Amino acid sequence: MSMRYRKRKPYRDDGDDEDANEAPLADGTLTRLVAQKKDLNRISLFIDGAFAFGIHQDVMIAHPLAKGQRLTVADQEALRRADAVLRAKTKALDMLGRKARTTKEIRDKLRQTGFADDVADDVIARFLDLGYLDDHAYATQYVRTRFRVKGYGPQRLRQELYKRGVPREVIDEVLAEETEDLDLIEAARAHAEKRWPSLVAREPDPRKRQRKLTDFLVRRGFSFDIIRAVLEELDEE
């Protein structure tokens, strides 16, 4: 296997090496380990007297290192990948700590942050196993909350979940489960009753009023069957 050599940097003794200064990898001997001043949880590795890269101390615990140890390019790549996975997990946990997220939202954010696809995939797989990510549970809670707070109909909820990356089959399943016992006509009626007075005041043509109310209720996510039932009630009143 061909080796990738790097031009060694001058030896530094300030312990403040930044990961952004990582050099190309080459086989070498680990000559120094030092905590970084800007983040004491990260350890700078010096190979053949030159700064190589930094890793989190937890990575070093999982992969014990000692001065004088010979590190091949493969060894170094494994250390850097383990560090990237750890940083990606930390980023994902921070996101989930602020609010629930879909699998796609976490994956997209990790990619945008600069993590490789395989690193993001490892984190996603681990979080799915642990139950930290669950698109079905996310969609269920989302539907319940949005219907209770906003009174949105199934089509609006479907669009919003799809934008958040929930798979179509999960959306179909959750909506079938959650909307079966919901009074969608009552929800549509509540929207219509709020909207109708302003339409009557602004629009003298009855047909245009109905069309505008229909468009309004469609945007709120209701089917034409439900909208028709609500319009018939308004006509009777």
Side-chain angles (χ1 to χ4, degrees), residues 45-164:
L45 276 64
F46 289 77
I47 296 178
D48 294 339
F51 171 71
F53 53 89
I55 59 174
H56 195 279
Q57 61 182 359
D58 290 349
V59 175
M60 198 170 74
I61 292 172
H63 302 78
L65 298 172
K67 289 173 62 176
Q69 182 176 345
R70 187 71 177 172
L71 295 177
T72 66
V73 168
D75 294 331
Q76 296 172 53
E77 288 176 340
L79 289 169
R80 290 173 68 166
R81 189 181 189 284
D83 185 69
V85 170
L86 180 61
R87 288 186 287 111
K89 286 180 179 178
T90 301
K91 177 66 176 179
L93 285 172
D94 181 61
M95 292 176 64
L96 291 171
R98 292 196 293 271
K99 68 175 184 177
R101 308 274 185 166
T102 66
T103 300
K104 185 177 186 300
E105 286 175 326
I106 293 294
R107 179 179 281 107
D108 288 348
K109 186 62 177 179
L110 291 179
R111 287 172 173 171
Q112 292 168 9
T113 305
F115 292 104
D117 286 351
D118 64 312
V119 170
D121 290 343
D122 278 4
V123 173
I124 294 297
R126 180 58 175 162
F127 279 22
L128 288 171
D129 287 342
L130 294 172
Y132 295 168
L133 288 172
D134 185 335
D135 286 345
H136 189 283
Y138 175 94
T140 298
Q141 187 58 41
Y142 189 92
V143 167
R144 292 175 181 176
T145 301
R146 293 292 276 180
F147 184 81
R148 183 177 67 250
V149 175
K150 296 291 188 179
Y152 288 156
Q155 295 309 312
R156 174 69 175 263
L157 296 171
R158 179 185 301 278
Q159 292 170 3
E160 292 186 355
L161 288 171
Y162 184 72
K163 286 181 180 178
R164 284 159 177 77

Side-chain angles (χ1 to χ4, degrees), residues 37-53:
K37 290 182 179 179
K38 292 182 179 179
D39 185 350
L40 296 178
N41 291 317
R42 295 192 63 77
I43 307 299
S44 289
L45 276 64
F46 289 77
I47 296 178
D48 294 339
F51 171 71
F53 53 89

